[in-house]
Amino acid sequence: MNDPIADMLTRIRNGQMRGKSTVSTPASKLRGWVLDVLADEGYIRGYEAAEENGHPAFEISLKYYEGTPVIREVKRVSKPGRRVYMGVNDIPVVRQGLGVSIVSTPKGVMSDASARANNVGGEVICTVF
């Protein structure tokens, strides 16, 4: 697997298209930090650590509103073949503020609004709407 974050986002997208209540993904620190931001912003119900075939994993509880998935679109911005770094003034506003960009900064992984509030830029991991 070349891009674990893209794999996790694809599992979430596929699970919501099928109407699943939970999906499983292998655990890592970066995945956990991205899931923390998604949970804080209200895009997933939450997640918990589990074990799958002797390996650590996350069970992600997906969120729906009146039967439709809360996450309408999720896009990977910075990829292994093309890393995307932006200063605090260049971090994109997703759908006029209705969505969120997840940014990896020197102060940790945070949403675009938190990065602007802390006046830090970094690697734009993905955008969620």
Side-chain angles (χ1 to χ4, degrees):
M1 184 183 335
N2 291 330
D3 192 357
I5 297 298
D7 176 65
M8 179 184 72
L9 296 175
T10 300
R11 287 176 190 231
I12 291 172
R13 187 183 310 114
N14 291 344
Q16 286 193 323
M17 284 194 299
R18 297 298 305 149
K20 302 256 186 201
S21 60
T22 63
V23 292
S24 178
T25 184
S28 74
K29 286 182 182 178
L30 181 59
R31 286 180 185 187
W33 296 330
V34 170
L35 289 172
D36 286 336
V37 173
L38 288 174
D40 291 343
E41 295 292 326
Y43 288 106
I44 60 173
R45 288 192 188 281
Y47 72 97
E48 57 186 39
E51 194 165 303
E52 201 171 277
N53 299 331
H55 297 286
F58 290 134
E59 281 290 322
I60 305 166
S61 300
L62 302 177
K63 192 173 183 179
Y64 298 90
Y65 178 74
E66 294 181 357
T68 60
V70 172
I71 298 175
R72 294 191 189 119
E73 178 182 285
V74 60
K75 268 190 196 169
R76 183 79 159 111
V77 176
S78 185
K79 302 174 183 175
R82 181 175 185 264
R83 297 291 183 189
V84 178
Y85 299 94
M86 294 188 179
V88 66
N89 297 325
D90 301 325
I91 296 173
V93 177
V94 182
R95 303 280 176 123
Q96 286 96 27
L98 295 177
V100 65
S101 293
I102 299 178
V103 185
S104 176
T105 70
K107 293 185 178 180
V109 177
M110 57 184 72
S111 68
D112 56 345
S114 299
R116 283 189 204 93
N118 288 323
N119 197 31
V120 291
E123 181 181 358
V124 181
I125 296 174
C126 64
T127 59
V128 182
F129 170 66

